[in-house]
Amino acid sequence: MRVLIAEDNIVNQKVAVSQIRKLGCYVDVVSNGREALNALRAVEYDLVLMDCQMPEVDGYEATVQLRSMEGNGRHTPWWP
């Protein structure tokens, strides 16, 4: 699996990456919703773990934009 973690706190990033890698997943990390949307345009992820309160674009707005980009097709699972 390929997982995107959108989290602005460095400590939380490190903990999440460590735990997800132990499950055998590939992990990419971004620090705000705008970066998450850019990553999602470039790579097809199996799962997105997104912080709700991030700078620039928060997790809620990023999810709204993600769903708009996806249209009626495949929806990337996410967990706030």
Side-chain angles (χ1 to χ4, degrees):
M1 280 187 78
R2 186 166 196 121
V3 178
L4 175 64
I5 297 173
E7 169 64 61
D8 61 324
N9 181 289
I10 301 294
V11 173
N12 292 347
Q13 286 177 358
K14 290 179 181 183
V15 170
V17 167
S18 174
Q19 294 300 311
I20 299 299
R21 284 190 177 148
K22 285 181 183 178
L23 297 172
C25 300
Y26 297 100
V27 182
D28 292 327
V29 179
V30 296
S31 60
N32 64 57
R34 185 175 322 283
E35 291 174 359
L37 291 167
N38 289 336
L40 287 158
R41 286 183 186 99
V43 177
E44 188 172 311
Y45 290 95
D46 299 300
L47 178 68
V48 178
L49 299 176
M50 187 153 352
D51 183 8
C52 294
Q53 298 177 337
M54 294 182 291
E56 294 190 43
V57 177
D58 67 26
Y60 295 113
E61 179 59 29
T63 301
V64 168
Q65 291 183 35
L66 168 61
R67 293 296 183 236
S68 177
M69 287 174 7
E70 291 175 327
N72 292 327
R74 175 184 178 272
H75 285 276
T76 304
W78 69 282
W79 190 260

